[in-house]
Amino acid sequence: MKKRLLFLLLFIGFYCNAQVNNYLYNHTEANDEVFKDYITLTFNNNSIVKGVYYGNQPEMSFVADVVFEKNKSTGLSFNLINYKFSRQTVSPYSKAQYFEPKKLAFALSEGSYSGYIVDNELQLQFTWVYADSATKEMVFNLVE
């Protein structure tokens, strides 16, 4: 019984100190339609302990867990895993219906993310594994 109580107190203590921030990235696709991607980061004692990426594209959206390779004040880098796909717009503010696609238009391991958190921005660079390591700059703004 004492172990359960201790675990409960540690669990409550962790989440009382945790801060969740949502970051928004607006991007325009080929049809000039603007899409919104989100990254939700959970901080505890100024360290990122969890992340979720919400990606929206013209034909399909996805939600994926962020797995950090580097998570320091000097910068961060991560990949995405555990993809769930939807035909609806996904965000941290709404629930979506998910499905298993038969075929994807892109490779799930097509690239990695690296960058910094500066003021109210999450400044990222996406690097494609293929396409001669081409990069894309992505600036996510903190949602207040």
Side-chain angles (χ1 to χ4, degrees):
M1 185 66 152
K2 289 182 182 179
K3 287 184 181 179
R4 286 185 184 169
L5 182 59
L6 179 61
F7 177 76
L8 179 62
L9 290 173
L10 288 172
F11 182 79
I12 291 170
F14 172 81
Y15 279 100
C16 288
N17 290 329
Q19 177 184 354
V20 178
N21 288 348
N22 290 312
Y23 295 87
L24 169 65
Y25 170 63
N26 291 302
H27 57 98
T28 305
E29 294 299 322
N31 60 0
D32 289 333
E33 189 175 352
V34 175
F35 290 87
K36 296 179 178 189
D37 287 5
Y38 294 89
I39 294 181
T40 298
L41 297 177
T42 302
F43 296 82
N44 192 8
N45 296 326
N46 293 325
S47 293
I48 303 170
V49 294
K50 182 180 177 186
V52 179
Y53 192 108
Y54 301 84
N56 292 290
Q57 300 292 324
E59 300 296 322
M60 186 184 320
S61 299
F62 67 88
V63 176
D65 292 330
V66 172
V67 175
F68 293 97
E69 294 175 358
K70 179 181 171 187
N71 178 4
K72 307 246 185 236
S73 59
T74 56
L76 53 95
S77 62
F78 61 88
N79 292 308
L80 303 178
I81 62 167
N82 300 329
Y83 285 81
K84 295 187 292 185
F85 298 94
S86 180
R87 290 185 179 88
Q88 301 169 299
T89 299
V90 294
S91 84
Y93 308 109
S94 63
K95 297 270 184 195
Q97 296 286 329
Y98 299 105
F99 73 98
E100 287 292 324
K102 293 180 178 151
K103 184 178 178 183
L104 294 174
F106 58 92
L108 294 182
S109 59
E110 68 181 11
S112 63
Y113 299 82
S114 61
Y116 303 91
I117 297 175
V118 178
D119 297 324
N120 290 332
E121 292 181 344
L122 174 57
Q123 300 174 2
L124 294 178
Q125 182 178 61
F126 178 77
T127 304
W128 278 271
V129 173
Y130 310 106
D132 295 327
S133 296
T135 61
K136 175 181 177 181
E137 301 296 325
M138 305 170 75
V139 177
F140 289 76
N141 294 299
L142 181 64
V143 178
E144 302 283 339

